[in-house]
């Protein structure tokens, strides 16, 4: 299957991008694997004609906006993001009316229409830098993830208006998951994604995006890590650090949408050029302004 995909990829002048939560074989197949920020930068930079995006819809939409002249394919058209769907452009407009002078920062896990209504986009890797770059004293609306929003408010000391969105995969990780796992592996470092709930984050040693987790482990002298995020990242962590041990904080932290992408579907995507992700031009133009700022602001080291 890998050989077949390679042949099809060459024929189509395609590049395969995969998120760190993808099934292991998809990560292994990809030309580039990364977090939301890394994948957005790759999508903007690549000279391939076709991008096969192994991730969820908002990621493929982001690639389509940043590389409007390319064909972006999502191998499963139902691979969505429930968090992204918790906000709409209409709901955001109503919130903006309540705070007419506020700047809007939207997490990349959002629909294209919401990005188009926002001033800045961010990922978990650069949300703190994006908010810190905004003028002091300006009110900031942050949508749609309340847990990432609280993390950003905490790190920046800024007063954010939050939207009550959450990631269903991250909120299943409980305080007990952390304390019980830590009791079994007391010498380990707990790395949690900022989308986790506040009690989980308080019990964790490091709050990092998936890409930052990979960088952190590389530099760390520790050999045991508890991982509080979607378990797909453990494949990448193990592959890059075969001598270290990684323990999932919860085996229930599985994103069903990320796991919809299979090798069969990647083959079909390349054979039939499906499913094309298209964003209307007026939305693309407006959303790109917010996204360009996101890819231009460097992630935390
Ligand atoms: P990262 O940007 O950390 O990879 O996170 C993506 C995501 O969707 C988290 O749920």
């Amino acid at each position: 299957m890998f050989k077949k995909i390679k042949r099809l990829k060459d024929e189509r002048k395609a590049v395969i991008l995969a998120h760190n939560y993808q099934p292991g074989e998809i990560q292994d197949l990809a030309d580039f694997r990364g977090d939301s920020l890394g994948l957005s930068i790759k999508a903007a930079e690549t000279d391939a004609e076709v991008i096969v995006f192994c991730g969820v819809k908002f990621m493929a939409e982001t690639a389509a906006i940043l590389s409007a002249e390319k064909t972006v394919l999502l191998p499963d058209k139902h691979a969505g993001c429930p968090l992204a769907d918790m906000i709409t452009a209409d709901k955001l407009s109503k919130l903006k009316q309540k705070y007419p002078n506020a700047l809007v920062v939207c997490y990349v896990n959002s629909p294209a229409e919401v990005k188009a209504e926002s001033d800045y986009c961010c990922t978990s890797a650069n949300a703190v830098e994006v908010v810190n770059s905004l003028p002091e004293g300006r009110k900031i609306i942050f949508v749609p993830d309340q847990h990432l929003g609280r993390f950003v408010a905490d790190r920046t000391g800024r007063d954010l208006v939050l939207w009550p969105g959450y990631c269903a995969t991250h909120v299943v990780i409980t305080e007990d998951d952390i304390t019980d796992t830590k009791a079994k592996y007391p010498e380990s470092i707990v790395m949690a994604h900022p989308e986790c709930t506040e009690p989980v984050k308080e019990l964790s040693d490091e709050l990092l995006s998936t890409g930052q987790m990979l960088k952190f482990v590389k530099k760390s002298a520790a050999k045991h890590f508890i991982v509080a995020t979607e378990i797909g990242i453990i494949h990448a962590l193990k592959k890059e650090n075969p001598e270290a041990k990684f323990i999932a904080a919860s085996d229930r932290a599985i994103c069903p949408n990320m796991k919809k992408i299979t090798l069969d579907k990647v083959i079909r995507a390349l054979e039939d050029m499906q499913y094309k992700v298209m964003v209307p031009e007026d939305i693309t133009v407006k959303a790109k302004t917010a996204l360009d700022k996101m890819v231009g602001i460097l992630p935390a080291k």
Side-chain angles (χ1 to χ4, degrees):
M1 283 174 116
F2 271 39
K3 272 194 196 145
K4 187 168 181 179
I5 291 170
K6 166 102 184 62
R7 178 177 54 75
L8 285 165
K9 209 174 65 171
D10 292 346
E11 278 169 26
R12 297 288 191 196
K13 296 193 176 53
V15 66
I16 299 181
L17 304 184
H19 187 263
N20 289 325
Y21 295 156
Q22 283 291 291
E25 65 274 20
I26 302 288
Q27 296 190 22
D28 294 344
L29 164 85
D31 297 297
F32 180 80
R33 170 187 48 73
D35 67 1
S36 305
L37 183 62
L39 292 170
S40 302
I41 293 170
K42 278 282 159 191
E45 282 174 359
T46 181
D47 52 13
E49 287 174 18
V50 175
I51 298 173
V52 180
F53 212 111
C54 298
V56 293
K57 189 175 164 210
F58 77 81
M59 297 180 175
E61 264 184 2
T62 300
I65 294 164
L66 288 168
S67 281
E69 69 296 347
K70 296 188 183 110
T71 302
V72 179
L73 305 173
L74 182 62
D76 186 313
K77 65 178 171 188
H78 300 294
C81 172
L83 163 61
D85 294 338
M86 286 176 191
I87 180 104
T88 61
D90 202 37
K91 287 175 184 166
L92 177 56
S93 303
K94 290 203 174 99
L95 186 63
K96 281 166 70 173
Q97 279 164 25
K98 261 177 89 179
Y99 302 96
N101 294 320
L103 289 168
V104 180
V105 179
C106 92
Y107 189 26
V108 70
N109 299 41
S110 54
E113 293 76 11
V114 169
K115 293 182 175 83
E117 283 289 320
S118 302
D119 299 299
Y120 291 82
C121 233
C122 69
T123 74
S124 53
N126 67 2
V128 170
E129 282 73 12
V130 170
V131 169
N132 267 334
S133 75
L134 304 182
E136 290 282 341
R138 250 336 248 284
K139 192 116 203 132
I140 299 165
I141 295 173
F142 189 93
V143 296
D145 189 278
Q146 59 180 298
H147 300 295
L148 176 65
R150 286 198 194 100
F151 161 78
V152 174
D154 195 46
R155 292 270 163 112
T156 60
R158 301 293 292 264
D159 180 23
L160 305 184
V161 177
L162 301 179
W163 187 258
Y166 60 89
C167 164
T169 302
H170 281 92
V171 300
V172 301
I173 305 172
T174 63
E175 282 167 87
D176 282 353
D177 287 330
I178 306 294
T179 42
D180 294 353
T181 324
K182 186 89 191 174
K184 272 197 221 153
Y185 304 94
E187 74 288 12
S188 45
I189 292 183
V190 183
M191 303 188 294
H193 196 278
E195 285 181 24
C196 288
T197 63
E198 285 58 56
V200 164
K201 284 186 285 205
E202 267 159 39
L203 291 168
S204 302
D205 300 303
E206 300 290 334
L207 304 179
L208 304 163
S209 77
T210 61
Q212 289 168 344
M213 286 183 189
L214 285 152
K215 284 188 198 136
F216 174 78
V217 170
K218 270 253 151 71
K219 286 194 198 148
S220 173
K223 286 285 162 267
H224 288 74
F225 300 88
I226 294 169
V227 184
T229 188
E230 211 278 348
I231 60 171
I233 182 78
I234 293 183
H235 177 83
L237 286 164
K238 278 187 178 160
K239 202 168 165 181
E240 291 189 11
N241 308 278
E243 71 300 340
K245 190 168 170 59
F246 300 97
I247 306 112
S250 167
D251 290 332
R252 299 181 314 280
I254 300 174
C255 172
N257 285 290
M258 284 283 178
K259 304 309 188 232
K260 283 182 180 153
I261 310 295
T262 62
L263 291 177
D264 269 326
K265 289 179 192 171
V266 173
I267 291 175
R268 243 172 299 144
L270 284 162
E271 278 177 344
D272 301 339
M273 293 294 279
Q274 68 182 23
Y275 294 91
K276 288 195 179 91
V277 176
M278 310 233 246
V279 180
E281 206 191 320
D282 55 330
I283 301 290
T284 297
V285 172
K286 288 210 246 162
K288 194 170 182 304
T289 312
L291 277 167
D292 280 345
K293 293 176 198 159
M294 174 184 94
V295 291
I297 294 170
L298 293 173
K301 292 199 187 65

